Amino acid sequence: MNVEPNETWLRSYLYVRIAMVGLLIALGVAVGFQTWHQGGELLSSVSAYYYTPAQGIFVGSLVGLGASMIALRGTTDAEDVLLNIGGMFAAVVAVVPTARSDDYIDAVRECREGGGRLPNGMTCPDVRALADATRDNVQNNMVALLVLGALGIAVTVVLAIGDRRALWGPIAVACAVYAAALATFLLSLDWFIDHAHFGAAIGLLVCIILVALVNRRRHSATPQAQARPDRYGLVAWALIGVALIGIPLWAFGVISLFWLEIAVALLFAVFWTVQTVEQRPGSPTAVAPSATTARS
């Protein structure tokens, strides 16, 4: 059966959206299987599974998720900007690992200062090898991301020149995020390794919450708003509640970061599934991005 070109584009758009949910499912399965394999013992965070056999799926899922967020058009200009920036953050979360634990950080410091008694039976050769491998991985992968990011911004600027619909504000925001990452990476690789993961994770969380809020506002402005439940609003307020309650609980040691990350990932998957159903080809609630926004 032949498929019309326009339908091919619509199906491709739908399949990419579905693939994003699939990537989150793959990450969840990899984390769950590794947890079962290690006797049911949860690590302190999902990000800590970078150091386990789940590393390949962890990195691949987040890089794929970030690339898809950047590539897809948002249903509004605001959503598109947030997806672009969120995709940039997701890639950094993937390739810059979180610190394993306070014990690991203390061990690295002790070894760099010339020795000392290390916790949990660790030895300096083991710790140094892990620290060196982490540094080399981050350096290599971030160089690749920074080069790709520069090319992406350059292409965007070239395409925007002469386009009356081009939104230079969002392009400037993307350039600012890129410049901040480049500057910190070049000025101090060690500082970047210690802080970039956490900063990018917070940035990704903020983008996800704002995307849900933007869709709640869009939904409330539609004629069908009164006839349909405010699903976007429910997800948005759930995400805000998780952030407002979960972050203090984690900061005071009541819960681990693992549960906070799982809650956000699940809510994002729910939100994305709801929006994907709404945007499926032929749906009366679908919003055609090309008709409402211009690529920024």
Side-chain angles (χ1 to χ4, degrees), residues 9 40 168 287:
W9 285 103
W168 289 100
V287 178

Side-chain angles (χ1 to χ4, degrees), residues 10-112:
L10 290 173
R11 288 187 180 184
S12 298
Y13 175 78
L14 176 64
Y15 296 159
V16 171
R17 296 187 63 93
I18 294 174
M20 291 174 66
V21 178
L23 289 171
L24 290 174
I25 292 174
L27 177 59
V29 171
V31 168
F33 181 78
Q34 177 59 29
T35 300
W36 171 80
H37 192 68
Q38 58 197 29
E41 181 182 354
L42 293 172
L43 300 183
S44 59
S45 68
V46 174
S47 301
Y49 284 81
Y50 175 94
Y51 298 100
T52 72
Q55 181 186 106
I57 292 295
F58 175 84
V59 174
S61 295
L62 286 176
V63 170
L65 184 68
S68 299
M69 290 173 70
I70 294 172
L72 284 175
R73 280 303 275 120
T75 55
T76 65
D77 291 331
E79 182 184 2
D80 192 51
V81 172
L82 291 168
L83 287 175
N84 291 343
I85 297 174
M88 296 167 68
F89 283 136
V92 174
V93 170
V95 303
V96 183
T98 182
R100 288 174 68 94
S101 64
D102 291 337
D103 285 343
Y104 167 70
I105 296 173
D106 292 340
V108 171
R109 185 182 303 111
E110 288 288 342
C111 288
R112 286 176 177 171

Side-chain angles (χ1 to χ4, degrees), residues 198 202 205-206 209 239-255 257 260 264:
F198 188 69
I202 290 184
L205 171 61
V206 171
I209 292 175
L239 282 166
I240 293 173
V242 166
L244 292 178
I245 297 174
I247 291 177
L249 289 177
W250 164 69
F252 287 102
V254 178
I255 63 173
L257 187 58
L260 181 59
V264 171

